[in-house]
């Protein structure tokens, strides 16, 4: 079995756990609010702003047998730069305070997920960071475009409020094919095991980010 296929198979249960979170299922069914969407974008900003630093940290920590991955990580850096600003623009288009988000703290689950990513790179294995890439890009491909439509229509928000979701849904469709080819070139057993372990962990951690978001009714009560 190719490694990418094994990665999908070995993390399928963890992926379903993430997709089953109430706020994701509610959003896909049109149960949404502006406040809960802004809460999602806020947490997205606080992990996406670390994407480029994490990619650079992984690149700089590569071990000799992993050095061939440097160019791929550099390409990711070029493609991901500035995406955190897209999120702030979306928040402003929803009527939220983008500068308060920029200078405010992340939620606890987001903080823990980001800390785990840095720790994994520094303490475990730099290529295990591809487990996070797999989770975030795979979730984006599965949900981003559908979620954008499901959120926008009932709320009547402008297209300018969905640059992050729609651009990532499209970009990550392109990325996943490249990612699969890249994963299939990884032949070291330890590297493969660490990527699978990290992906399972990130599905759980990212799920906790979603579980920490206020459901639409609660979000509206908080905003009132």
């Amino acid at each position: 079995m190719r490694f990418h296929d094994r990665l999908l198979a070995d993390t399928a249960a963890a992926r379903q756990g993430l997709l089953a979170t109430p706020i994701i299922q509610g959003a896909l069914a049109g149960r949404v609010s502006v406040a809960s969407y802004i809460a999602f974008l806020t947490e997205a900003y606080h992990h996406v702003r670390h994407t480029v630093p994490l990619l650079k940290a992984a690149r700089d920590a590569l071990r000799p047998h992993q050095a061939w991955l440097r160019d791929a990580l550099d390409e990711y850096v070029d493609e991901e730069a500035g995406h955190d600003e897209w999120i702030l623009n979306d928040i402003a288009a929803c009527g939220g305070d983008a500068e308060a988000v920029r200078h405010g703290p992340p939620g606890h689950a987001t903080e823990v997920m980001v800390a785990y990513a840095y720790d994994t790179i520094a303490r475990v294995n730099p290529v295990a960071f591809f487990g996070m890439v797999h989770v975030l890009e795979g979730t984006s491909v599965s949900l981003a475009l559908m979620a954008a439509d499901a959120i926008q229509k009932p709320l009547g928000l402008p297209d300018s409020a969905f640059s992050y979701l729609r651009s990532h849904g499209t970009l990550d469709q392109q990325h996943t094919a490249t990612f699969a080819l890249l994963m299939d070139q990884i032949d070291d057993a330890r590297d493969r095991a660490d990527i699978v372990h990290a992906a399972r962990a990130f599905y759980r951690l990212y799920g906790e980010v979603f579980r920490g978001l206020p459901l639409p009714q609660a979000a509206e009560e908080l905003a009132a």
Side-chain angles (χ1 to χ4, degrees):
M1 180 184 289
R2 293 181 177 180
F3 176 53
H4 185 256
D5 291 336
R6 179 190 150 196
L7 177 61
L8 291 172
D10 288 356
T11 60
R15 179 176 181 272
Q16 288 306 311
L18 166 63
L19 298 181
T21 55
I23 197 164
I24 290 178
Q25 292 302 308
L28 293 176
R31 297 191 297 274
V32 295
S33 71
V34 174
S36 57
Y37 179 50
I38 290 175
F40 160 74
L41 290 173
T42 297
E43 299 311 314
Y45 170 76
H46 283 295
H47 70 75
V48 169
R49 75 185 183 90
H50 288 279
T51 301
V52 168
L54 284 165
L55 287 164
K56 289 181 177 179
R59 178 198 63 196
D60 293 344
L62 291 173
R63 298 163 186 173
H65 75 280
Q66 302 163 342
W68 63 274
L69 287 161
R70 178 177 291 272
D71 289 345
L73 287 167
D74 283 338
E75 289 179 12
Y76 271 109
V77 167
D78 291 341
E79 291 172 358
E80 296 296 326
H83 292 192
D84 51 338
E85 294 296 325
W86 295 357
I87 300 172
L88 294 178
N89 291 340
D90 288 352
I91 290 170
C94 292
D97 189 339
E99 288 308 303
V101 171
R102 184 196 300 274
H103 298 292
H108 176 70
T110 303
E111 186 174 17
V112 171
M113 182 174 73
V114 170
Y116 181 83
Y118 281 108
D119 179 71
T120 293
I121 290 168
R123 182 180 57 84
V124 181
N125 187 341
V127 302
F129 178 65
F130 284 114
M132 186 178 190
V133 174
H134 170 67
V135 170
L136 297 184
E137 290 194 347
T139 304
S140 177
V141 167
S142 299
L143 297 175
L145 297 178
M146 288 189 298
D149 290 340
I151 294 167
Q152 183 175 16
K153 289 176 182 177
L155 297 180
L157 291 169
D159 289 343
S160 57
F162 294 90
S163 60
Y164 170 67
L165 278 182
R166 289 212 167 95
S167 64
H168 265 250
T170 301
L171 282 173
D172 289 340
Q173 285 176 344
Q174 301 166 4
H175 286 175
T176 51
T178 302
F179 179 80
L181 292 173
L182 192 65
M183 291 301 95
D184 286 343
Q185 295 177 66
I186 292 177
D187 57 10
D188 182 87
R190 182 73 262 165
D191 290 346
R192 289 182 170 193
D194 288 341
I195 291 169
V196 170
H197 175 80
R200 287 174 174 152
F202 280 114
Y203 272 125
R204 183 172 180 177
L205 291 165
Y206 199 31
E208 289 303 311
V209 172
F210 282 101
R211 291 183 187 92
L213 298 176
L215 294 170
Q217 183 178 357
E220 294 293 7
E221 290 172 355
L222 289 171

